[in-house]
Amino acid sequence: MRLLVVEDEPEMALALQSALRRHDMIADHADTLAAAMEMIPLGSYDAIILDRGLPDGDGLSLIPRIRQCRASIPVIVLTARGRLAERISGLDSGADDYLAKPFAFEELLARLRAVMRRPDHLRPMAVKLGRLSLDLDHREARVENMRFDLPRRELLVLEALMRRAGRMVPREILMEAVFGMSDEVQSNTLDSHISRLRRKLADADAGVTINGVRGVGYMLMEQI
Amino acid sequence: MRLLVVEDEPEMALALQSALRRHDMIADHADTLAAAMEMIPLGSYDAIILDRGLPDGDGLSLIPRIRQCRASIPVIVLTARGRLAERISGLDSGADDYLAKPFAFEELLARLRAVMRRPDHLRPMAVKLGRLSLDLDHREARVENMRFDLPRRELLVLEALMRRAGRMVPREILMEAVFGMSDEVQSNTLDSHISRLRRKLADADAGVTINGVRGVGYMLMEQI
DNA sequence: CGAAACGTCATGTTGCCGCAATGTGTCGCA
DNA sequence: TGCGACACATTGCGGCAACATGACGTTTCG
């Protein structure tokens, strides 16, 4: 799961990033509208968390521009301006949800989950392949009914692969899903994770295999 | 715009219906879970407004059943049970939004608009010819529903040919599509790829042929 | 402070890709 | 019609880049 947090207050941004990260999501950060507009076409985000009061304008003005380049990214507006009229104008600007500060982080999470379940994203809540199942809401993998715990990065790899189970996932896409664009990784780190994940899947007898296609990427398949 | 209001209190239901009608929407009404379940498959609703405390159970239990028959109807839960934990569990049950009573009708409208604003998800561009199809987004070919893996260069050849299926593709164009204009290839490398590709297409019984025309180029045709 | 996780390096392995050698059909020309 | 030139077809092979995997040092987190 890959998010963009558009927020100018460093503390708030950092708090959000680390909290989201603790829930196994990758959150990039932009502190101005301009920065956000550059990052959105590049990273393929699953959702955007948007503040209103930004140094170079109202966050709401970003929404139409987002819709222009990628129509279906969910946007959650997260702001101190929580009066009724502001909520309404926010939603009418194209936001998918509107949450007023102060807020409970748990509610933000729930609204994120809700917003990403939307049909635009045709995202099933749980995927199953072979003996392996992955609950995308609770970020928890299972083999049959046994818990199958994974470190953060490996879980991100598995998630990206399972979301397109049975289809090729280009290496580039995987890289973006596992590492944000902030961290640039130059070496074969992804290969390491794939390797480790392969071993664990085999040890747990998960009934799935990761096939690599040279020059393209990886694919998760049911074992034969 | 066609809505279903699931709500047991007659006054509230009536108020909603008339208010929605004043905004040019059609709102049907169900006062029990059972009634709602009958109506949903029949009327093709654009959204559902759902109360929780219903005579025959919690409205939330309706959501999974809705998702079963028509996955993509937006559901807004509208209820007096507005505590944080309840909001979270509501959203996690699959609701698209959660609004606590008392509420401003204007906000319900805004949230309805937000939830129904759904840009038609444009399918990844795909080309099909014979039994062969090619997903240009994911750079992935299929014969019927079997994956049809190809090395990078061969896939590039196939892509260039399928984009112009049924038409002649001059050799020069192919060269440029397969090797950039940067790389100069001096020998009959393209012919190699064409040859290998032909064999694979035949082996997979893809229902297409590559015809070569002397002095011009190649053309991809449906097999006779 | 210890353990798990992560990124990097080094080494072994695979298989694509470009090349060239050879085969096959087509066309021009006498 | 016969012959040779040419364009394309096919196949084997070697170089090399991409991938696989295990080891190691650093970082992160409880």
Side-chain angles (χ1 to χ4, degrees):
Chain A
M1 194 71 53
R2 198 149 168 236
L3 307 178
L4 177 63
V5 174
V6 186
E7 166 69 65
D8 61 331
E9 288 177 39
E11 299 166 21
M12 177 58 123
L14 222 56
L16 275 174
Q17 272 186 299
S18 73
L20 291 169
R21 190 195 141 120
R22 216 164 299 130
H23 285 79
D24 299 321
M25 309 187 194
I26 296 290
D28 291 343
H29 171 224
D31 56 1
T32 62
L33 289 177
M37 275 312 290
E38 280 185 26
M39 298 173 70
I40 289 168
L42 301 176
S44 59
Y45 296 104
D46 297 296
I48 295 176
I49 296 175
L50 183 61
D51 190 17
R52 288 194 62 167
L54 294 169
D56 52 348
D58 188 333
L60 291 189
S61 68
L62 192 66
I63 299 180
R65 289 189 274 167
I66 293 172
R67 301 299 183 212
Q68 273 184 339
C69 52
R70 273 193 53 199
S72 65
I73 307 184
V75 174
I76 295 187
V77 176
L78 184 58
T79 172
R81 295 155 76 170
R83 292 209 321 275
L84 175 61
E86 291 168 337
R87 292 208 298 276
I88 291 173
S89 72
L91 290 163
D92 278 345
S93 301
D96 292 273
D97 206 334
Y98 198 102
L99 191 53
K101 300 179 192 173
F103 65 98
F105 184 71
E106 283 302 322
E107 179 163 7
L108 174 62
L109 278 183
R111 290 194 177 269
L112 265 175
R113 288 192 288 267
V115 124
M116 281 192 296
R117 266 196 307 265
R118 302 271 240 257
D120 298 343
H121 265 251
L122 272 188
R123 166 202 302 289
M125 299 200 247
V127 201
K128 193 169 192 304
L129 189 75
R131 302 154 46 81
L132 176 71
S133 63
L134 182 64
D135 184 334
L136 295 172
D137 272 1
H138 300 92
R139 336 212 58 73
E140 172 184 274
R142 291 176 169 272
V143 173
E144 289 303 328
N145 282 328
M146 297 313 223
R147 288 195 48 140
F148 182 53
D149 284 324
L150 287 176
R152 213 170 58 89
R153 294 257 128 118
E154 290 170 38
L155 189 65
L156 286 167
V157 173
L158 187 61
E159 178 195 340
L161 288 174
M162 285 212 78
R163 276 164 65 172
R164 311 212 181 141
R167 311 182 57 190
M168 274 300 312
V169 185
R171 192 184 184 77
E172 203 177 305
I173 303 278
L174 268 180
M175 293 290 288
E176 282 186 2
V178 176
F179 319 98
M181 61 172 40
S182 52
D183 311 298
E184 265 309 316
V185 185
Q186 301 177 346
S187 80
N188 62 343
T189 307
L190 178 60
D191 305 54
S192 296
H193 289 300
I194 291 278
S195 177
R196 289 191 260 257
L197 188 52
R198 271 194 179 121
R199 161 164 285 274
K200 286 177 189 172
L201 287 172
D203 287 353
D205 190 23
V208 296
T209 6
I210 300 181
N211 285 54
V213 175
R214 202 184 182 78
V216 187
Y218 294 90
M219 181 176 69
L220 191 69
M221 295 184 64
E222 197 160 351
Q223 210 148 23
I224 14 168
Chain B
M1 197 67 56
R2 188 128 186 256
L3 306 179
L4 177 63
V5 175
V6 186
E7 166 67 65
D8 62 331
E9 290 178 37
E11 299 167 24
M12 178 58 117
L14 222 56
L16 274 175
Q17 272 186 298
S18 71
L20 290 168
R21 171 162 314 168
R22 219 166 300 131
H23 285 82
D24 300 320
M25 308 186 194
I26 302 288
D28 291 344
H29 172 226
D31 56 2
T32 61
L33 289 178
M37 274 313 290
E38 281 184 26
M39 299 173 71
I40 289 168
L42 300 176
S44 60
Y45 297 105
D46 297 296
I48 295 175
I49 296 175
L50 183 61
D51 189 18
R52 288 194 61 166
L54 295 169
D56 51 349
D58 188 334
L60 291 189
S61 68
L62 193 65
I63 299 180
R65 288 188 274 168
I66 293 173
R67 301 296 184 216
Q68 272 186 338
C69 51
R70 272 192 55 197
S72 67
I73 307 183
V75 174
I76 296 186
V77 175
L78 183 59
T79 173
R81 296 155 75 170
R83 293 208 321 274
L84 175 62
E86 290 167 338
R87 293 208 298 277
I88 291 174
S89 72
L91 290 164
D92 278 344
S93 301
D96 291 277
D97 206 336
Y98 198 102
L99 192 53
K101 299 180 191 173
F103 66 99
F105 184 71
E106 283 301 322
E107 179 164 6
L108 173 61
L109 278 183
R111 291 193 179 269
L112 264 176
R113 287 192 290 268
V115 128
M116 278 189 300
R117 205 168 25 225
R118 184 165 309 155
D120 282 339
H121 194 63
L122 46 98
R123 288 255 164 245
M125 195 174 13
V127 201
K128 194 169 190 305
L129 188 73
R131 300 155 47 81
L132 177 70
S133 64
L134 183 63
D135 183 337
L136 295 174
D137 267 6
H138 298 86
R139 328 194 78 230
E140 168 183 281
R142 290 176 171 271
V143 174
E144 289 302 326
N145 281 329
M146 296 314 223
R147 302 184 36 31
F148 182 53
D149 281 327
L150 287 175
R152 213 174 82 258
R153 292 291 209 234
E154 290 170 36
L155 193 65
L156 286 169
V157 173
L158 186 61
E159 180 189 336
L161 288 174
M162 285 209 82
R163 279 184 193 278
R164 305 169 175 79
R167 285 177 286 168
M168 274 302 310
V169 185
R171 195 183 180 79
E172 293 170 19
I173 302 278
L174 267 181
M175 292 291 288
E176 196 167 308
V178 176
F179 322 97
M181 59 187 81
S182 53
D183 285 324
E184 265 306 315
V185 184
Q186 305 172 356
S187 78
N188 62 343
T189 306
L190 178 61
D191 306 54
S192 300
H193 291 301
I194 291 277
S195 172
R196 289 192 259 256
L197 187 52
R198 275 211 255 252
R199 160 164 281 274
K200 286 176 188 171
L201 286 172
D203 286 353
D205 191 22
V208 296
T209 9
I210 300 180
N211 287 53
V213 175
R214 198 184 180 78
V216 188
Y218 296 89
M219 182 171 66
L220 189 69
M221 297 183 61
E222 196 160 351
Q223 209 148 25
I224 0 167

